[in-house]
Amino acid sequence: ERPDGELDGVEPAPFTTRILVRRPDAAQFNGHVVVEWFNVSSGADSAPEYTYVAQELVRSGTAYVGISAQYTGIAGGRDSVDLETTGAGTAGVQGDSLEAKDPERYAGLHHPGDGYSYDMFGSIAQALRDNDSERHPLAGLDVRWVIAAGESQSAMALTTYVNRIAPKHGAIDAALIHSRPLGQLPLGEPGKPIDISPAYAGPPHPIRSDATTPVFVVQTETDVLTDFRYIEARQPDTDVFRAWEVAGTSHADLVQIGEYEDLLGCPQPVNRGQQVFVLRAAVAHLREWIENGTPPPTSAPLDVDVTATPPRYARDDVGNVLGGVRTPCVDAPTEVLSGVVTGDVPRICVLFGSTTPLPDDELATRYPTHADYLRTYEASTDDAIARGVISPADRDEVLADARPGPLSP
């Protein structure tokens, strides 16, 4: 149903949608459920946030539920990121509904349109707590906290949900909003998908100042500038709001595309920044925030020269952006990692950023030996852990992500 009073003349409507559940055994469950608003920018459902934070969820005993909240996820639709032209689109025919792709599994699904998506999301999030039935997907788990999460278009939707709907529902305890633009999604209409263009056009929509639900916004270089323009919606941290802007990152990156990078057809290798580790840490901080009242650490924003037209990033001597959340790959650099791609390239390449190896002579000057690089990188890793932007549990994986390039052992 629609929340009362949000849109005059809209009648309640039934729905049958899909959820995807990943749950630990009851003995390992920590009481938290991360509920992802599935992303439909490819013309079908995807779970980018789970891709980033799965390791943290599994090791901590956090349950996960992905929700097909939007019309396109059920009915199918066109992508909004040039996947058709690059050949990297989702499996099946673009525009196919879930039922057309798998009639036996998905017969009977019905989405009444994105005018109802917010209430659908909240209703399902609330229902996850009411798990007394043996047939409930979280039966046997003592659900105490629900964290909403969404990336890109889903982050736009969650911004709207947090600002306009969540106070009425009381269904979530916190939200992780990842890679949003300056605006938020409109409320949408019955019987059709939502138009995302107003979220880019503005006006800016910060998180409401009277919010009582903790909100953690994590942004990349692409999101703060480019056509996302989150810089216009920046707001100070409070007792219930945190924003991290992560240096050396892009809206999407190698973690998302993996072995299919070449299918994008981008002129440069895509971004290989370490936002995956930052997002894992963000989830861990959110749990502590709502369970024990311990807020995440604060961080300076990315350093932007706002006197320039248009605004541009201030960069260090190798070309990486200054300020923001720092990770070892930008503080012990062997590459320039950027979330800003210019020139006549497909939209998908703008979203995936770029990676440019440093020249051999630059590397040799910065790190006389392979061991010097590894020492610098390890020190940067330990510093990031001490600052709370990387979890101690990820230390070995971060160290394994060192990139000495041509530096000889």
Side-chain angles (χ1 to χ4, degrees), residues 18-97:
R18 169 182 67 167
I19 64 173
L20 173 65
V21 178
R22 295 180 169 101
R23 49 169 289 168
D25 293 334
Q28 282 74 48
F29 182 53
N30 62 10
H32 294 266
V33 182
V34 168
V35 182
E36 180 169 8
W37 184 307
F38 278 154
N39 182 283
V40 297
S41 293
S42 65
D45 278 337
S46 64
E49 211 62 11
Y50 184 79
T51 303
Y52 282 118
V53 304
Q55 179 79 357
E56 170 59 27
L57 301 185
V58 172
R59 70 189 174 203
S60 65
T62 302
Y64 168 89
V65 177
I67 298 178
S68 293
Q70 284 183 251
Y71 180 82
T72 297
I74 299 300
R78 295 184 61 82
D79 74 73
S80 59
V81 290
D82 290 340
L83 289 180
E84 286 183 342
T85 58
T86 64
T90 54
V93 178
Q94 283 288 335
D96 277 0
S97 67

Side-chain angles (χ1 to χ4, degrees), residues 160-303:
T160 306
Y161 184 78
V162 166
N163 279 341
R164 302 188 66 169
I165 316 296
K168 300 181 180 184
H169 280 175
I172 63 171
D173 298 289
L176 174 61
I177 297 177
H178 173 206
S179 284
R180 55 158 292 194
L182 78 163
Q184 60 186 21
L185 283 191
L187 290 177
E189 300 178 38
K192 62 177 65 176
I194 209 159
D195 177 11
I196 70 172
S197 58
Y200 290 94
H205 283 98
I207 300 302
R208 57 190 296 167
S209 59
D210 62 347
T212 57
T213 300
V215 175
F216 202 160
V217 174
V218 178
Q219 298 288 85
T220 71
E221 292 180 17
T222 317
D223 312 320
V224 175
L225 297 185
T226 75
D227 63 340
F228 284 80
R229 292 161 44 218
Y230 174 75
I231 188 172
E232 298 178 32
R234 277 177 170 173
Q235 61 190 110
D237 290 337
T238 70
D239 290 343
V240 292
F241 178 82
R242 281 292 182 277
W244 283 0
E245 298 175 3
V246 189
T249 59
S250 59
H251 187 78
D253 57 24
L254 187 66
V255 171
Q256 286 293 327
I257 197 65
E259 61 185 295
Y260 302 105
E261 177 182 4
D262 290 345
L263 293 178
L264 298 176
C266 298
Q268 295 177 274
V270 303
N271 184 278
R272 284 151 166 76
Q274 294 176 322
Q275 72 170 309
V276 59
F277 301 115
V278 176
L279 285 164
R280 292 179 190 174
V283 170
H285 284 304
L286 265 177
R287 290 198 311 268
E288 286 293 312
W289 202 358
I290 60 179
E291 184 173 351
N292 301 317
T294 305
T298 59
S299 172
L302 294 172
D303 194 345

Side-chain angles (χ1 to χ4, degrees), residues 159 195 270 296 312 402 408:
T159 301
D195 177 11
V270 303
R312 60 173 179 260
S408 299

